[in-house]
Amino acid sequence: MRVEPPPGGEPVSIDLRGAQGISVGDHTVQKNTFWIALPPAVRRLLIVVLAGVLVVGSGFVAVRWIVPMFAPIYKTTFLIDAAEGDLASVTNALTTVVGNSGEHDSQSLRSFGGDCGSEDNTTQLVGFGTGNRQEIAEAARSVRQGSKATLQRGIVEAVGDFTTPMSLKAKQVNRIIVVTRHGKDACDPDDEFVQAQIRDRVAAAGLTIEFRFIGYQVLDDGERLKELTAQLKSQEPTFTNSPEELSRALAWFATIEPVLRSSQSVVNVLNPTVDKLNSASEALKNGRFDLADNALAEARDAVVDIEIKDLDGRTSSAEAVRLRDLAVRLRTLQASVIEAADALLTSARSGRNLAEPLAVYTKAADGYNAVAREMTDALTSLRAQGPGGTR
């Protein structure tokens, strides 16, 4: 620190680097910087607290921009039955399948099976998170055999996992994939009561949660499991008897069904807008500019970025890669159709001859429709490979 000298005096330098909050002189300023080493757990807690302050101080920014940016596309809980039976095949199938799941998925793992009334007859082994596929695989391999099938409590608590504090809602789908050998709860023989408890918990969650049930070597005729799925208004259970069948069914629901859903969404969003543009191009000949304006506006609003982002993270199979590529091509071709339609409308408004811009538009629309048909055929073929709902 440099201290200004008195009139006629020499400048004086004083080393205060080791000072502890000391200020010397009448016009001095001292800034002390202290580095404090914090344990990782304390640092994480501090980040959470600061995030809370950010929400309070800048809630609009956090809620409107920051939170949606980190929201997962899918949230999936794997709920596995650890009560008696071939648990090894279940965990082996899960460890393989989870490694091929979507990169943007938020996933968790829960097991059920134990003594009636015990607090640990269902346990969340891994909480929701993206990039935790290896953690789920390791946790699955450590699941211990339980005694009784506490199916009701497993499902009820799995639903509750979706509504924990600071939990981010999925942009597209919340779902629970259940693998079980049992269709009824071992601790409560009243099936209607069990079903009501589960329905009430789902309703209280305030979310749309999809269920996928895989029955593996189910001991009874499977009717109780069918009744449960009917009460939950979900798909009928898929019944499997061998480890190979179980692996295929689990892979279908965990990795292939999301590919089908996102790909179909691309078709469902883009195809109607192109159909309207085709109709509007004909109306232009009669001077119906209003129809073309409306069709163009709807086409420009047809956004499939979320679906394609989801498909970008699901490239573990040749079918997934093909459908992702087709979806990207459809989006690109739709942009070409819009551009050609815009040029056609401009020509019509100016009274110019429509032959050339109409030919350009027709070529763009034909190119889109060809790929749309290819996409539809690919979806139909892949859907036919899915598991049926019968035993």
Side-chain angles (χ1 to χ4, degrees), residues 73-74 105 172 258 262 306-314:
I73 296 175
Y74 269 68
D105 289 2
Q172 287 190 329
S262 289
I306 290 179
E307 289 82 359
I308 290 179
K309 179 183 178 183
D310 183 51
L311 291 171
D312 284 341
R314 301 187 187 280

Side-chain angles (χ1 to χ4, degrees), residues 103-117:
E103 294 176 3
H104 308 298
D105 289 2
S106 178
Q107 301 180 122
S108 70
L109 174 64
R110 176 177 284 276
S111 66
F112 67 88
D115 297 329
C116 297

